[in-house]
Amino acid sequence: MTTTLTPRRSRPPAQPDSLRARRLPGYAAPALAVLALLVAAGIVYGVDLGGPVLVVVLGAVFYLAGLFLAANAVEGRRSARNRFWSALIHSALVLAVLPLASVVWTLVSKGTARLDGDFFGSSMNNIGARDANGGAYHAIVGTLEQVGIATAITVPLGVLCAIYIVEYGRGRFAFTIRFFVDVMTGIPSIVTGLFVLAFWVLIVSPWFNDGQPGFSGFAAALALSVLMLPTVVRSTEEMLRLVPAPLREGAYALGVPKWKTILRVVLPTALPGIVTGIMLSIARAAGETAPVLLVAGGGAAINFNPFENNQSSLALFVYQQAGEASKYSPARAWTAALTLVVLVLVLTVAAKLLARRNRLGR
């Protein structure tokens, strides 16, 4: 009987301390950040150079320099560079979020002063500089009607234009359309307002108003649609280009016509991105002031008819109240700004949920 002995595996020898990587302790980075802020605060407030913003910026510079020097001394130059760039990326994120957080905090803290029924249920008609009442009901109605009409005009045109560029457009004509869409992206809003004023208000509207030019919410919607169109076209075009080609080829191989492939395969796949682009354009349109001021004229009374007489909007209401010589106007302006932001947020969340539900339902 033969017995086979299996050799025992020997443990690898322990590495000497000189081969182990040296690391900074976990508390080093937070301690350096606190120390950098203290030093920055001492310099800024000691010399009276500025305020908290300069303290944060200067503290970030001191923190990055201190972290690099500490890591270079303990961990080596390679690890120090890695820590430096990682900290730089995180610091850039914090510096980018701080202004946004400051805007949100200021908007919420000052915008809740007039969150009452009178603000949402009344207009500024017959409200003087010494009256504490008055609301933005007429501006809310104007914003909803103008943005709604502009969306109804722009979304079909923009989506169909993008479909033509991606799926059908070839040659010089498609290149020309894409070029002019890119040019329209950078057009200032005041230019679109002047265009609609010169074309619609002064030339077309007199035909329907006994020869007199007429301001209206519909004219403002036309100006807003001009601003929304390039954003919708470009975002939809990019989303359609991201749809994988095998999805189209598979549908064509099954004998599905091209129009039905676009309708049933391409558009549903790109729908979340398309909705995002549409909501970006709606947010921009809802915050425009110059076109509404030029072609809708604004107004203090409630006007439910977008095709006749002056009409206001929330953005224009904020602009007018911010310039009023009344101690009650700033509170109205801040509350109207908060209302506008919440309105856009609600529309965005609703559109995202609807697009997600439709996507999951297929």
Side-chain angles (χ1 to χ4, degrees), residues 158-243:
V159 173
L160 291 176
C161 182
I163 290 175
Y164 171 79
I165 293 175
V166 175
E167 304 292 340
Y168 296 96
R170 297 294 183 272
R172 185 174 298 178
F173 184 66
F175 173 79
T176 303
I177 294 176
R178 191 178 299 110
F179 172 77
F180 279 107
V181 168
D182 292 338
V183 171
M184 289 176 61
T185 305
I187 293 179
S189 59
I190 190 69
V191 176
T192 62
L194 289 173
F195 168 74
V196 175
L197 176 66
F199 172 70
W200 181 266
V201 176
L202 299 180
I203 297 177
V204 178
S205 64
W207 297 354
F208 309 98
N209 196 29
D210 298 329
Q212 298 295 326
F215 295 95
S216 63
F218 180 74
L222 292 179
L224 297 180
S225 65
V226 175
L227 292 173
M228 295 171 59
L229 186 60
T231 303
V232 175
V233 173
R234 289 297 293 163
S235 60
T236 304
E237 178 187 355
E238 295 301 326
M239 291 302 104
L240 293 179
R241 292 187 186 278
L242 292 178
V243 176

Coordinates of all heavy atoms in Angstrom, one line a residue, residues 158-243:
G158 N -41.2 70.8 -34.7 CA -39.8 70.4 -34.3 C -39.5 68.9 -34.5 O -38.5 68.6 -35.0
V159 N -40.4 68.1 -34.0 CA -40.2 66.7 -34.1 C -40.2 66.2 -35.5 O -39.4 65.4 -36.0 CB -41.3 65.9 -33.2 CG1 -41.2 64.4 -33.5 CG2 -41.1 66.2 -31.8
L160 N -41.2 66.7 -36.3 CA -41.2 66.3 -37.7 C -40.0 66.8 -38.5 O -39.5 66.1 -39.4 CB -42.5 66.8 -38.4 CG -43.8 66.2 -37.9 CD1 -45.0 66.9 -38.5 CD2 -43.8 64.7 -38.2
C161 N -39.5 68.0 -38.2 CA -38.3 68.5 -38.8 C -37.1 67.6 -38.5 O -36.3 67.3 -39.4 CB -38.1 69.9 -38.4 SG -36.7 70.7 -39.2
A162 N -37.0 67.2 -37.2 CA -35.9 66.4 -36.8 C -36.0 65.0 -37.5 O -35.0 64.4 -37.9 CB -35.9 66.2 -35.3
I163 N -37.2 64.5 -37.6 CA -37.4 63.2 -38.3 C -36.9 63.3 -39.7 O -36.2 62.4 -40.3 CB -38.8 62.7 -38.2 CG1 -39.2 62.3 -36.7 CG2 -39.1 61.5 -39.1 CD1 -40.6 62.0 -36.5
Y164 N -37.3 64.4 -40.4 CA -36.8 64.6 -41.8 C -35.3 64.6 -41.9 O -34.7 64.0 -42.8 CB -37.4 65.8 -42.4 CG -36.9 66.2 -43.7 CD1 -37.3 65.5 -44.9 CD2 -35.9 67.1 -43.9 CE1 -36.8 65.8 -46.1 CE2 -35.3 67.4 -45.1 CZ -35.8 66.7 -46.2 OH -35.3 67.0 -47.5
I165 N -34.7 65.4 -41.0 CA -33.2 65.5 -41.1 C -32.5 64.2 -40.9 O -31.5 63.9 -41.6 CB -32.7 66.5 -40.0 CG1 -33.3 67.9 -40.4 CG2 -31.2 66.6 -39.9 CD1 -32.9 69.0 -39.3
V166 N -33.0 63.4 -39.9 CA -32.3 62.1 -39.6 C -32.7 61.0 -40.5 O -31.8 60.2 -41.0 CB -32.6 61.7 -38.1 CG1 -32.0 60.4 -37.8 CG2 -32.1 62.8 -37.2
E167 N -34.0 60.8 -40.8 CA -34.4 59.7 -41.5 C -34.5 59.9 -43.0 O -34.4 58.9 -43.8 CB -35.8 59.2 -41.0 CG -35.8 59.0 -39.5 CD -35.0 57.8 -39.1 OE1 -34.8 56.9 -40.0 OE2 -34.7 57.7 -37.9
Y168 N -34.8 61.1 -43.5 CA -35.1 61.3 -44.9 C -34.1 62.3 -45.6 O -33.8 62.2 -46.8 CB -36.5 61.8 -45.1 CG -37.6 60.8 -44.7 CD1 -38.2 60.9 -43.5 CD2 -38.0 59.8 -45.6 CE1 -39.2 60.0 -43.1 CE2 -39.0 59.0 -45.2 CZ -39.6 59.1 -44.0 OH -40.6 58.2 -43.6
G169 N -33.6 63.2 -44.8 CA -32.9 64.3 -45.4 C -31.5 63.9 -45.9 O -30.7 63.3 -45.2
R170 N -31.2 64.3 -47.1 CA -29.9 64.0 -47.7 C -29.6 65.2 -48.6 O -30.4 65.9 -49.2 CB -30.0 62.8 -48.6 CG -30.3 61.4 -47.9 CD -29.1 61.1 -46.9 NE -29.4 59.8 -46.3 CZ -30.1 59.6 -45.2 NH1 -30.6 60.7 -44.6 NH2 -30.3 58.4 -44.7
G171 N -28.3 65.5 -48.7 CA -27.8 66.5 -49.6 C -27.9 67.9 -49.0 O -27.9 68.1 -47.8
R172 N -27.9 68.9 -49.9 CA -27.8 70.3 -49.6 C -29.0 70.8 -48.8 O -28.9 71.7 -47.9 CB -27.6 71.1 -50.8 CG -27.3 72.6 -50.6 CD -26.9 73.3 -51.9 NE -25.7 72.7 -52.5 CZ -25.2 73.1 -53.6 NH1 -25.8 74.0 -54.3 NH2 -24.1 72.5 -54.1
F173 N -30.2 70.3 -49.1 CA -31.4 70.9 -48.5 C -31.4 70.6 -47.0 O -31.7 71.4 -46.1 CB -32.6 70.3 -49.1 CG -33.9 70.9 -48.6 CD1 -34.2 72.2 -48.8 CD2 -34.8 70.1 -47.9 CE1 -35.4 72.7 -48.2 CE2 -36.0 70.6 -47.4 CZ -36.3 71.9 -47.6
A174 N -31.1 69.3 -46.6 CA -31.0 68.9 -45.2 C -29.9 69.7 -44.5 O -30.0 70.1 -43.4 CB -30.8 67.4 -45.1
F175 N -28.8 69.9 -45.2 CA -27.7 70.7 -44.6 C -28.1 72.1 -44.3 O -27.8 72.7 -43.3 CB -26.4 70.6 -45.5 CG -25.3 71.5 -45.1 CD1 -24.5 71.1 -44.0 CD2 -25.1 72.8 -45.7 CE1 -23.4 72.0 -43.6 CE2 -24.1 73.6 -45.2 CZ -23.3 73.2 -44.2
T176 N -28.9 72.7 -45.3 CA -29.3 74.1 -45.1 C -30.3 74.2 -43.9 O -30.2 75.1 -43.1 CB -30.0 74.5 -46.4 OG1 -29.1 74.4 -47.5 CG2 -30.5 76.0 -46.3
I177 N -31.2 73.2 -43.8 CA -32.1 73.2 -42.6 C -31.3 73.1 -41.3 O -31.6 73.9 -40.4 CB -33.1 72.1 -42.8 CG1 -34.0 72.3 -44.0 CG2 -34.0 72.0 -41.5 CD1 -35.0 71.2 -44.2
R178 N -30.4 72.2 -41.3 CA -29.6 72.1 -40.0 C -28.8 73.3 -39.7 O -28.7 73.8 -38.6 CB -28.7 70.9 -40.2 CG -28.0 70.5 -38.9 CD -27.1 69.3 -39.1 NE -27.8 68.1 -39.5 CZ -27.8 67.6 -40.7 NH1 -27.0 68.1 -41.6 NH2 -28.5 66.5 -41.0
F179 N -28.3 74.0 -40.8 CA -27.5 75.2 -40.6 C -28.4 76.3 -40.0 O -28.0 77.0 -39.0 CB -26.9 75.6 -41.9 CG -26.2 77.0 -41.8 CD1 -25.0 77.1 -41.3 CD2 -26.9 78.1 -42.4 CE1 -24.4 78.4 -41.2 CE2 -26.3 79.4 -42.3 CZ -25.0 79.5 -41.7
F180 N -29.6 76.5 -40.5 CA -30.5 77.6 -40.1 C -31.0 77.3 -38.7 O -31.2 78.2 -37.9 CB -31.6 77.8 -41.0 CG -31.2 78.7 -42.2 CD1 -31.0 78.1 -43.5 CD2 -31.0 80.0 -42.1 CE1 -30.6 78.9 -44.5 CE2 -30.6 80.8 -43.1 CZ -30.4 80.3 -44.4
V181 N -31.2 76.0 -38.4 CA -31.6 75.6 -37.0 C -30.5 76.0 -36.0 O -30.8 76.5 -34.9 CB -32.0 74.1 -36.9 CG1 -32.1 73.7 -35.5 CG2 -33.3 73.9 -37.7
D182 N -29.3 75.7 -36.4 CA -28.2 76.1 -35.5 C -28.1 77.6 -35.3 O -27.8 78.1 -34.2 CB -26.8 75.6 -36.0 CG -26.8 74.0 -36.0 OD1 -27.5 73.5 -35.2 OD2 -26.0 73.5 -36.8
V183 N -28.3 78.4 -36.4 CA -28.3 79.8 -36.3 C -29.4 80.3 -35.4 O -29.2 81.2 -34.6 CB -28.4 80.4 -37.7 CG1 -28.5 81.9 -37.6 CG2 -27.1 80.1 -38.5
M184 N -30.6 79.7 -35.5 CA -31.7 80.2 -34.7 C -31.5 79.9 -33.2 O -32.1 80.6 -32.4 CB -33.0 79.5 -35.2 CG -33.5 80.0 -36.5 SD -35.0 79.0 -37.1 CE -36.1 79.3 -35.7
T185 N -30.7 78.9 -32.9 CA -30.4 78.6 -31.5 C -29.8 79.8 -30.8 O -30.1 80.0 -29.6 CB -29.5 77.4 -31.4 OG1 -30.0 76.3 -32.1 CG2 -29.3 77.0 -29.9
G186 N -29.0 80.6 -31.4 CA -28.4 81.7 -30.8 C -29.1 83.1 -30.9 O -28.5 84.1 -30.6
I187 N -30.3 83.1 -31.5 CA -31.0 84.4 -31.7 C -31.5 84.9 -30.4 O -32.1 84.2 -29.6 CB -32.2 84.2 -32.7 CG1 -31.7 83.8 -34.1 CG2 -33.0 85.4 -32.7 CD1 -32.8 83.6 -35.1
P188 N -31.2 86.1 -30.0 CA -31.7 86.7 -28.8 C -33.3 86.8 -28.8 O -33.9 86.9 -29.8 CB -31.1 88.1 -28.7 CG -29.9 88.1 -29.7 CD -30.3 87.1 -30.7
S189 N -33.8 86.7 -27.6 CA -35.3 86.7 -27.5 C -35.9 88.0 -28.0 O -37.0 88.1 -28.5 CB -35.7 86.4 -26.1 OG -35.2 87.4 -25.2
I190 N -35.2 89.1 -27.8 CA -35.7 90.4 -28.2 C -35.8 90.5 -29.7 O -36.7 91.2 -30.2 CB -34.8 91.6 -27.7 CG1 -35.4 92.9 -27.9 CG2 -33.4 91.5 -28.3 CD1 -36.6 93.2 -27.1
V191 N -35.0 89.8 -30.4 CA -35.1 89.8 -31.9 C -36.3 89.0 -32.4 O -37.0 89.5 -33.3 CB -33.8 89.1 -32.5 CG1 -33.9 89.0 -34.0 CG2 -32.6 89.9 -32.1
T192 N -36.6 87.9 -31.7 CA -37.9 87.2 -32.1 C -39.1 88.0 -31.8 O -40.1 88.0 -32.5 CB -37.9 85.9 -31.3 OG1 -38.0 86.1 -29.9 CG2 -36.7 85.0 -31.6
G193 N -39.0 88.8 -30.6 CA -40.2 89.7 -30.3 C -40.3 90.8 -31.4 O -41.5 91.1 -31.8
L194 N -39.2 91.3 -31.8 CA -39.3 92.4 -32.9 C -39.8 91.8 -34.2 O -40.6 92.4 -34.9 CB -37.9 93.0 -33.1 CG -37.4 93.9 -31.9 CD1 -36.0 94.3 -32.2 CD2 -38.3 95.1 -31.8
F195 N -39.4 90.6 -34.5 CA -39.9 89.9 -35.7 C -41.4 89.7 -35.7 O -42.1 90.0 -36.7 CB -39.2 88.6 -35.9 CG -39.8 87.7 -37.0 CD1 -39.6 88.0 -38.3 CD2 -40.5 86.6 -36.7 CE1 -40.2 87.2 -39.3 CE2 -41.1 85.8 -37.6 CZ -40.9 86.1 -39.0
V196 N -41.9 89.2 -34.6 CA -43.4 89.0 -34.5 C -44.1 90.3 -34.4 O -45.2 90.4 -35.0 CB -43.7 88.1 -33.3 CG1 -45.2 88.0 -33.1 CG2 -43.0 86.7 -33.4
L197 N -43.5 91.3 -33.8 CA -44.1 92.6 -33.8 C -44.2 93.2 -35.2 O -45.3 93.7 -35.6 CB -43.3 93.5 -32.9 CG -43.7 95.0 -32.8 CD1 -45.1 95.1 -32.1 CD2 -42.7 95.8 -32.1
A198 N -43.2 93.1 -36.0 CA -43.2 93.7 -37.3 C -44.1 92.9 -38.3 O -44.7 93.5 -39.2 CB -41.8 93.7 -37.9
F199 N -44.1 91.5 -38.1 CA -44.9 90.7 -39.0 C -46.3 90.5 -38.6 O -47.3 90.9 -39.3 CB -44.2 89.3 -39.2 CG -45.0 88.4 -40.0 CD1 -45.2 88.5 -41.4 CD2 -45.6 87.3 -39.4 CE1 -45.9 87.6 -42.1 CE2 -46.4 86.4 -40.1 CZ -46.5 86.6 -41.5
W200 N -46.5 90.0 -37.4 CA -47.9 89.7 -37.0 C -48.7 90.9 -36.4 O -49.8 91.1 -36.9 CB -47.8 88.6 -35.9 CG -49.2 88.1 -35.5 CD1 -49.9 88.6 -34.4 CD2 -50.0 87.2 -36.1 NE1 -51.1 88.0 -34.3 CE2 -51.2 87.1 -35.4 CE3 -49.9 86.4 -37.2 CZ2 -52.3 86.2 -35.7 CZ3 -50.9 85.5 -37.6 CH2 -52.1 85.4 -36.8
V201 N -48.1 91.6 -35.5 CA -48.9 92.7 -34.9 C -49.1 93.8 -35.8 O -50.2 94.3 -35.9 CB -48.1 93.2 -33.6 CG1 -48.8 94.3 -33.0 CG2 -47.9 92.0 -32.6
L202 N -48.1 94.2 -36.6 CA -48.3 95.4 -37.5 C -48.8 95.1 -38.9 O -49.4 96.0 -39.5 CB -46.9 96.1 -37.6 CG -46.3 96.6 -36.3 CD1 -45.0 97.3 -36.6 CD2 -47.3 97.6 -35.6
I203 N -48.7 93.9 -39.3 CA -49.1 93.5 -40.7 C -50.3 92.6 -40.7 O -51.3 92.9 -41.4 CB -48.0 92.9 -41.5 CG1 -46.8 93.9 -41.6 CG2 -48.4 92.4 -42.9 CD1 -45.6 93.3 -42.4
V204 N -50.3 91.5 -40.0 CA -51.4 90.5 -40.0 C -52.6 90.9 -39.1 O -53.7 90.8 -39.6 CB -50.8 89.1 -39.7 CG1 -51.9 88.1 -39.7 CG2 -49.7 88.8 -40.6
S205 N -52.3 91.3 -37.9 CA -53.4 91.5 -37.0 C -54.3 92.6 -37.4 O -55.5 92.5 -37.0 CB -52.8 91.8 -35.6 OG -52.1 93.0 -35.6
P206 N -53.9 93.7 -38.1 CA -54.9 94.6 -38.6 C -56.0 94.1 -39.4 O -57.1 94.6 -39.5 CB -54.1 95.7 -39.3 CG -52.7 95.6 -38.6 CD -52.6 94.1 -38.3
W207 N -55.8 93.0 -40.1 CA -56.8 92.4 -41.0 C -58.0 91.8 -40.1 O -59.1 91.7 -40.6 CB -56.2 91.2 -41.8 CG -55.2 91.6 -42.7 CD1 -54.8 92.9 -43.1 CD2 -54.4 90.7 -43.6 NE1 -53.8 92.8 -44.0 CE2 -53.5 91.5 -44.4 CE3 -54.3 89.4 -43.7 CZ2 -52.6 91.0 -45.3 CZ3 -53.4 88.8 -44.6 CH2 -52.6 89.6 -45.4
F208 N -57.7 91.5 -38.9 CA -58.7 90.9 -38.0 C -59.2 91.9 -36.9 O -60.0 91.5 -36.1 CB -58.2 89.6 -37.3 CG -57.6 88.6 -38.3 CD1 -56.3 88.6 -38.5 CD2 -58.4 87.8 -39.0 CE1 -55.7 87.7 -39.3 CE2 -57.9 86.9 -39.9 CZ -56.5 86.8 -40.0
N209 N -58.7 93.1 -37.0 CA -58.9 94.1 -35.9 C -59.3 95.5 -36.5 O -59.0 96.5 -35.9 CB -57.7 94.2 -35.0 CG -58.0 94.9 -33.7 OD1 -59.1 94.8 -33.1 ND2 -57.1 95.6 -33.1
D210 N -60.1 95.5 -37.5 CA -60.6 96.7 -38.1 C -59.5 97.7 -38.5 O -59.6 98.9 -38.3 CB -61.6 97.4 -37.2 CG -62.8 96.6 -36.9 OD1 -63.2 95.8 -37.8 OD2 -63.4 96.7 -35.8
G211 N -58.4 97.1 -39.0 CA -57.3 97.9 -39.4 C -56.4 98.4 -38.4 O -55.4 99.2 -38.7
Q212 N -56.6 98.1 -37.1 CA -55.7 98.5 -36.0 C -54.8 97.4 -35.5 O -55.3 96.2 -35.4 CB -56.6 99.0 -34.8 CG -57.5 100.2 -35.1 CD -56.7 101.4 -35.4 OE1 -55.6 101.6 -34.9 NE2 -57.2 102.2 -36.4
P213 N -53.5 97.7 -35.3 CA -52.7 96.6 -34.7 C -53.1 96.2 -33.4 O -53.6 97.0 -32.6 CB -51.3 97.3 -34.7 CG -51.4 98.4 -35.6 CD -52.8 98.9 -35.6
G214 N -53.1 94.9 -33.1 CA -53.6 94.4 -31.8 C -52.6 93.5 -31.1 O -52.0 92.6 -31.7
F215 N -52.3 93.9 -29.9 CA -51.4 93.0 -29.0 C -52.3 91.9 -28.5 O -53.5 92.0 -28.2 CB -50.9 93.8 -27.8 CG -49.9 94.9 -28.2 CD1 -50.4 96.2 -28.4 CD2 -48.6 94.6 -28.5 CE1 -49.5 97.2 -28.8 CE2 -47.7 95.6 -28.8 CZ -48.2 96.9 -29.0
S216 N -51.7 90.7 -28.3 CA -52.4 89.6 -27.9 C -51.4 88.5 -27.3 O -50.2 88.5 -27.6 CB -53.2 88.9 -29.0 OG -52.4 88.5 -30.0
G217 N -52.0 87.6 -26.5 CA -51.2 86.5 -26.0 C -50.8 85.5 -27.1 O -49.8 84.9 -27.0
F218 N -51.6 85.5 -28.2 CA -51.2 84.6 -29.3 C -50.0 85.1 -30.0 O -49.1 84.3 -30.4 CB -52.4 84.5 -30.3 CG -52.1 83.6 -31.5 CD1 -52.1 82.2 -31.4 CD2 -51.8 84.2 -32.7 CE1 -51.8 81.4 -32.5 CE2 -51.6 83.4 -33.8 CZ -51.6 82.0 -33.7
A219 N -49.8 86.4 -30.1 CA -48.6 86.9 -30.7 C -47.4 86.6 -29.8 O -46.3 86.2 -30.3 CB -48.7 88.5 -30.8
A220 N -47.6 86.6 -28.5 CA -46.5 86.2 -27.6 C -46.2 84.7 -27.8 O -45.0 84.3 -27.8 CB -46.8 86.5 -26.2
A221 N -47.2 83.9 -28.0 CA -47.0 82.5 -28.2 C -46.2 82.2 -29.5 O -45.4 81.3 -29.6 CB -48.3 81.7 -28.3
L222 N -46.5 83.0 -30.5 CA -45.7 82.9 -31.8 C -44.2 83.2 -31.5 O -43.3 82.5 -32.1 CB -46.3 83.8 -32.9 CG -47.7 83.5 -33.4 CD1 -48.1 84.5 -34.4 CD2 -47.7 82.1 -34.0
A223 N -44.0 84.3 -30.8 CA -42.6 84.6 -30.5 C -41.9 83.5 -29.7 O -40.7 83.2 -29.9 CB -42.5 86.0 -29.8
L224 N -42.6 83.0 -28.7 CA -42.0 81.9 -27.9 C -41.8 80.6 -28.7 O -40.8 79.9 -28.5 CB -43.0 81.6 -26.7 CG -43.2 82.7 -25.7 CD1 -44.1 82.3 -24.6 CD2 -41.9 83.2 -25.1
S225 N -42.7 80.4 -29.7 CA -42.5 79.2 -30.5 C -41.2 79.3 -31.4 O -40.5 78.3 -31.6 CB -43.7 79.0 -31.4 OG -43.9 80.0 -32.3
V226 N -40.9 80.5 -31.8 CA -39.7 80.7 -32.6 C -38.5 80.4 -31.7 O -37.5 79.9 -32.2 CB -39.6 82.2 -33.1 CG1 -38.3 82.4 -33.8 CG2 -40.8 82.4 -34.1
L227 N -38.5 80.8 -30.4 CA -37.5 80.5 -29.5 C -37.4 79.0 -29.2 O -36.3 78.5 -29.0 CB -37.6 81.3 -28.2 CG -37.5 82.8 -28.3 CD1 -37.8 83.4 -27.0 CD2 -36.1 83.2 -28.7
M228 N -38.5 78.3 -29.1 CA -38.5 76.9 -28.7 C -38.1 76.0 -29.8 O -37.5 74.9 -29.6 CB -39.9 76.5 -28.2 CG -40.4 77.2 -26.9 SD -42.1 76.9 -26.6 CE -42.1 75.1 -26.4
L229 N -38.4 76.4 -31.1 CA -38.2 75.5 -32.2 C -36.8 74.9 -32.4 O -36.6 73.7 -32.5 CB -38.7 76.2 -33.5 CG -38.7 75.3 -34.8 CD1 -39.6 74.2 -34.6 CD2 -39.1 76.2 -36.0
P230 N -35.7 75.7 -32.4 CA -34.4 75.2 -32.5 C -34.0 74.2 -31.4 O -33.3 73.2 -31.7 CB -33.5 76.4 -32.6 CG -34.3 77.5 -32.0 CD -35.7 77.2 -32.3
T231 N -34.4 74.5 -30.2 CA -34.1 73.5 -29.1 C -34.8 72.2 -29.3 O -34.2 71.1 -29.1 CB -34.5 74.1 -27.7 OG1 -33.9 75.4 -27.6 CG2 -34.2 73.2 -26.6
V232 N -36.0 72.2 -29.7 CA -36.8 71.0 -29.9 C -36.2 70.2 -31.1 O -36.0 69.0 -31.0 CB -38.3 71.2 -30.2 CG1 -39.0 70.0 -30.5 CG2 -38.9 71.9 -29.0
V233 N -35.8 70.9 -32.2 CA -35.3 70.2 -33.4 C -33.9 69.6 -33.0 O -33.7 68.4 -33.3 CB -35.1 71.2 -34.5 CG1 -34.4 70.6 -35.7 CG2 -36.5 71.7 -35.0
R234 N -33.0 70.3 -32.4 CA -31.7 69.8 -32.2 C -31.7 68.7 -31.1 O -31.0 67.7 -31.3 CB -30.8 71.0 -31.6 CG -30.5 72.0 -32.7 CD -29.7 71.4 -33.8 NE -28.3 70.9 -33.4 CZ -27.6 70.1 -34.0 NH1 -28.0 69.6 -35.2 NH2 -26.4 69.8 -33.6
S235 N -32.5 68.8 -30.1 CA -32.5 67.7 -29.1 C -33.1 66.5 -29.7 O -32.6 65.4 -29.4 CB -33.3 68.2 -27.8 OG -34.6 68.6 -28.2
T236 N -34.2 66.6 -30.4 CA -34.9 65.5 -31.0 C -33.9 64.8 -32.1 O -33.9 63.6 -32.2 CB -36.2 65.9 -31.7 OG1 -37.0 66.5 -30.7 CG2 -36.9 64.7 -32.2
E237 N -33.2 65.6 -32.8 CA -32.3 65.1 -33.8 C -31.2 64.3 -33.2 O -30.9 63.1 -33.6 CB -31.7 66.2 -34.6 CG -30.7 65.8 -35.6 CD -29.9 66.9 -36.3 OE1 -30.3 68.1 -36.0 OE2 -29.0 66.7 -37.0
E238 N -30.6 64.7 -32.1 CA -29.6 64.0 -31.4 C -30.1 62.7 -30.8 O -29.4 61.7 -30.8 CB -28.9 64.9 -30.3 CG -28.2 66.1 -30.9 CD -27.1 65.7 -31.8 OE1 -26.5 64.6 -31.6 OE2 -26.9 66.4 -32.8
M239 N -31.3 62.8 -30.2 CA -31.9 61.5 -29.6 C -32.2 60.5 -30.7 O -32.0 59.3 -30.5 CB -33.2 61.9 -28.9 CG -32.9 62.7 -27.6 SD -31.8 61.9 -26.4 CE -30.3 62.8 -26.7
L240 N -32.7 60.9 -31.9 CA -33.0 60.0 -33.0 C -31.7 59.4 -33.5 O -31.7 58.2 -33.9 CB -33.7 60.7 -34.1 CG -35.1 61.2 -33.8 CD1 -35.8 61.9 -35.0 CD2 -36.0 60.0 -33.3
R241 N -30.6 60.1 -33.5 CA -29.3 59.6 -34.0 C -28.8 58.5 -33.0 O -28.0 57.7 -33.4 CB -28.3 60.7 -34.2 CG -28.7 61.6 -35.4 CD -27.6 62.6 -35.6 NE -27.9 63.6 -36.6 CZ -27.9 63.3 -38.0 NH1 -27.5 62.2 -38.4 NH2 -28.3 64.3 -38.8
L242 N -29.2 58.6 -31.8 CA -28.7 57.6 -30.8 C -29.4 56.3 -30.8 O -29.0 55.3 -30.2 CB -28.8 58.2 -29.4 CG -27.9 59.4 -29.0 CD1 -28.1 59.9 -27.6 CD2 -26.4 59.0 -29.2
V243 N -30.5 56.2 -31.5 CA -31.3 55.0 -31.7 C -30.4 54.0 -32.5 O -30.0 54.3 -33.6 CB -32.6 55.2 -32.3 CG1 -33.3 53.9 -32.5 CG2 -33.5 56.1 -31.5

